[in-house]
Amino acid sequence: MSDIKPVSRTHIITADCPSRPGTVDVVTRFLCEKGFYINEIHSFDDTAVNRFFIRIEFRAQTATDFSAEAFSEEFEQRASEFEMQWQLASSPYKSKVVIMVSKHDHCLNDLLYRYRTGDLDIEIPAIISNHPDLEELAKWHGIPYYHLPITKDTKPEQEAKVWQIIQESEADLVVLARYMQVLSSDLCQKLSGKAINIHHSLLPGFKGARPYFQAYDRGIKLVGATAHYVSDDLDEGPIISQGVETVDHGYYPKDLAAKGRDIECLTLSRAVRCHIEHRIFMYGKKTVVFSK
């Protein structure tokens, strides 16, 4: 008979509250009293706004049944004394991620590779595009591909179809993997806190279709990318992750663009990972991100 013991599930509790003594203790003491083992803990006290944030991964020390309802009922009694806003998540759970893309395929390819190899613990119920170019790539992965062309006149109808797909797929997250369309204010509001966008770091200085040519002409020395939550403020939503690398005079526009694509892939996947692993707190226009 095998001596291998069943692995107990991992649970994640995230909480934030006004800054005051005992904020770590109220969570860790409760977990200890209930016989749970802490695998990972992160906390941060934002003294600028007097707000405390904590994220804890924990598990039972033996493989036992876990009642989220009982846990929540008991912990709420402790948390309410500290005015805590908190959430509980349990694994294994594969977040459902809908990907939106136009013609650039580097970010989509990277996400599909991480999905295929299990590096990102997600499901991809749909890929949506305003162009047909990447349909074969989606078919190869067995993922439904929705080609929804868009014009200025058809934008409301197109976005209505997009929203319908998102709802029907029960998506936990929408990723704009170089989707080169500006979402309407209405769709941005519907996706608040549930949609991540990626773009190069040359904004706002170098706008338009040829930013790397503009950057080359100005002798740029840094190239990077920003992943952020979608908001009504174009490309100015709460930042999740950023990446940057130095370049020099030997980088022509095509070299700058290639470097930018690499950084975009890494930055976007990092942001997606932080979201699905519940490592992000969003308050106002700021974020607290407990990256691994």
Side-chain angles (χ1 to χ4, degrees):
M1 183 179 292
S2 173
D3 292 330
I4 298 176
K5 297 180 180 179
V7 178
S8 57
R9 299 178 70 192
T10 298
H11 311 282
I12 302 168
I13 187 168
T14 55
D16 65 284
C17 63
S19 300
R20 55 175 286 191
T23 47
V24 173
D25 181 72
V26 69
V27 187
T28 57
R29 183 180 296 274
F30 177 82
L31 295 177
C32 179
E33 290 174 357
K34 298 302 176 183
F36 294 113
Y37 183 84
I38 293 176
N39 301 331
E40 182 181 331
I41 180 170
H42 295 275
S43 65
F44 172 67
D45 187 64
D46 190 337
T47 57
V49 295
N50 293 317
R51 195 82 186 168
F52 175 79
F53 304 86
I54 189 167
R55 177 190 184 275
I56 298 180
E57 286 188 19
F58 66 95
R59 60 179 171 81
Q61 297 191 57
T62 58
T64 58
D65 291 334
F66 176 83
S67 171
E69 183 178 351
F71 180 97
S72 299
E73 183 177 343
E74 291 184 57
F75 181 70
E76 177 59 29
Q77 297 175 19
R78 306 276 187 94
S80 60
E81 298 176 14
F82 286 78
E83 301 177 62
M84 274 191 174
Q85 300 176 9
W86 62 277
Q87 290 183 320
L88 176 69
S90 298
S91 64
Y93 172 77
K94 292 182 180 291
S95 296
K96 295 179 181 179
V97 179
V98 168
I99 301 176
M100 298 182 69
V101 64
S102 290
K103 290 186 175 182
H104 296 293
D105 64 357
H106 55 287
C107 285
L108 175 62
N109 259 312
D110 183 75
L111 291 173
L112 289 175
Y113 174 78
R114 295 175 188 275
Y115 152 75
R116 190 172 70 247
T117 60
D119 182 56
L120 283 177
D121 199 17
I122 60 176
E123 294 180 6
I124 304 177
I127 296 173
I128 302 172
S129 180
N130 56 321
H131 294 283
D133 303 55
L134 303 177
E135 185 169 6
E136 289 303 313
L137 180 61
K139 284 184 177 179
W140 191 87
H141 286 84
I143 299 172
Y145 186 88
Y146 297 89
H147 173 216
L148 303 178
I150 185 171
T151 66
K152 183 178 180 180
D153 294 332
T154 63
K155 185 170 184 173
E157 291 80 4
Q158 192 258 16
E159 286 198 343
K161 293 178 182 177
V162 168
W163 180 239
Q164 181 180 356
I165 294 168
I166 293 171
Q167 288 184 301
E168 290 178 351
S169 63
E170 300 180 330
D172 302 296
L173 177 68
V174 176
V175 177
L176 277 59
R178 294 306 302 274
Y179 181 67
M180 308 304 287
Q181 293 290 322
V182 178
L183 301 184
S184 68
S185 176
D186 178 61
L187 189 54
C188 284
Q189 291 176 21
K190 289 177 179 177
L191 294 175
S192 178
K194 296 182 179 180
I196 295 174
N197 186 32
I198 184 73
H199 59 75
H200 58 75
S201 66
L202 302 178
L203 295 171
F206 305 107
K207 299 179 180 180
R210 292 163 61 89
Y212 290 105
F213 284 86
Q214 300 174 52
Y216 173 76
D217 289 339
R218 291 287 300 275
I220 199 76
K221 296 298 185 287
L222 290 174
V223 173
T226 295
H228 61 86
Y229 283 114
V230 170
S231 73
D232 270 346
D233 299 319
L234 182 62
D235 294 328
E236 294 184 16
I239 294 171
I240 304 169
S241 178
Q242 291 181 298
V244 65
E245 288 194 29
T246 58
V247 294
D248 59 29
H249 56 275
Y251 282 75
Y252 293 97
K254 66 179 180 62
D255 304 313
L256 295 175
K259 179 70 72 175
R261 287 193 295 270
D262 289 343
I263 304 171
E264 285 173 11
C265 291
L266 290 171
T267 303
L268 180 58
S269 66
R270 188 182 304 122
V272 171
R273 186 184 308 280
C274 287
H275 181 94
I276 65 174
E277 293 183 356
H278 308 279
R279 296 181 178 274
I280 306 170
F281 293 84
M282 187 164 44
Y283 61 113
K285 294 185 177 182
K286 296 177 62 178
T287 55
V288 168
V289 183
F290 293 131
S291 58
K292 196 167 186 178

